[in-house]
Amino acid sequence: ITHKCQLEPVVFPPALLRLRPPNFPTLRLSQPAHLYSREKMLFSKIIQAKNNAELKSLFQDISASEYWDNHYTFGKKTAKTSVKKLSAHFINLILLNAVLPVKYAYHRFTDEDTASQMLDIYTEIPAEDNHIIRQWKNLGAEIENALQSQSFIYHYSHSCFTKKCLNCSIGFQLLKHHDRTDIY
């Protein structure tokens, strides 16, 4: 149809701005393709997993296809060859931001009592390391696992970011002890 209507092909190059090569979308799309081809009935395995180790085992040894061993973008070979595997840190992010919320939503609607099991999985995952968590740690918060880091991120996005300091006991205490001239 493109020839018949004399249409130009539409090409959307992936956005690579401010990304490190291991995080390029080209690689990140190849990795789940490997996961889906390797793990038959992935959703069922995720739902049936009882702990963090079982969930992580589904993502172990997932890598981009062989083409990406010496490429980061299409058509541009690199001098160095390396297998582009999912790191342990990235697996934890996948679990926290995709797998565990889906698992919780599924169990919530099937009336299974899995709340404590889900909390146990969150406590087995190390705390995230991002700018929000670093800010909380600078204020003296002790954050040891993903359950705690997720709660601090939630608090930040629903209270601090929206500037609801007077509705928050932490913000209220900080304002109370802060020099009033520095606020304005």
Side-chain angles (χ1 to χ4, degrees):
I1 192 159
T2 56
H3 179 68
K4 180 180 176 181
C5 297
Q6 299 175 350
L7 299 174
E8 294 292 322
V10 179
V11 178
F12 295 101
L16 306 176
L17 184 65
R18 288 180 276 164
L19 289 177
R20 294 183 180 165
N23 291 325
F24 282 1
T26 49
L27 298 175
R28 292 297 187 208
L29 289 171
S30 181
Q31 291 165 334
H34 179 220
L35 173 67
Y36 297 141
S37 68
R38 187 185 83 173
E39 295 293 338
K40 305 300 181 221
M41 304 192 42
L42 179 63
F43 183 77
S44 296
K45 290 179 180 180
I46 288 171
I47 296 303
Q48 293 170 356
K50 300 285 185 219
N51 56 41
N52 186 31
E54 288 180 26
L55 285 171
K56 281 186 176 183
S57 70
L58 296 172
F59 297 93
Q60 294 298 322
D61 301 322
I62 296 297
S63 61
S65 66
E66 289 179 24
Y67 175 82
W68 299 107
D69 288 352
N70 57 3
H71 290 81
Y72 284 102
T73 59
F74 291 108
K76 293 183 183 178
K77 266 191 165 182
T78 59
K80 187 176 153 185
T81 300
S82 65
V83 177
K84 312 300 191 296
K85 291 181 134 187
L86 293 179
S87 67
H89 174 72
F90 193 72
I91 292 172
N92 286 336
L93 288 176
I94 291 170
L95 292 178
L96 288 174
N97 296 308
V99 173
L100 292 175
V102 167
K103 187 175 171 66
Y104 174 78
Y106 177 84
H107 287 300
R108 186 172 146 226
F109 288 110
T110 57
D111 295 327
E112 294 184 29
D113 183 29
T114 59
S116 62
Q117 179 186 1
M118 296 296 293
L119 292 177
D120 290 342
I121 293 173
Y122 275 99
T123 59
E124 294 171 7
I125 299 173
E128 295 167 88
D129 181 27
N130 56 40
H131 73 282
I132 296 170
I133 298 302
R134 285 190 293 273
Q135 287 176 353
W136 281 110
K137 286 183 176 181
N138 287 341
L139 290 173
E142 294 181 20
I143 305 169
E144 299 172 3
N145 58 49
L147 180 65
Q148 294 169 341
S149 67
Q150 288 284 296
S151 65
F152 277 98
I153 290 170
Y154 179 86
H155 183 82
Y156 172 82
S157 62
H158 287 84
S159 295
C160 304
F161 186 74
T162 57
K163 300 188 186 319
K164 295 181 181 174
C165 304
L166 295 177
N167 296 336
C168 165
S169 60
I170 298 169
F172 186 74
Q173 290 298 318
L174 289 173
L175 285 173
K176 189 168 102 176
H177 294 294
H178 197 275
D179 182 7
R180 303 297 274 172
T181 58
D182 291 344
I183 295 174
Y184 304 106

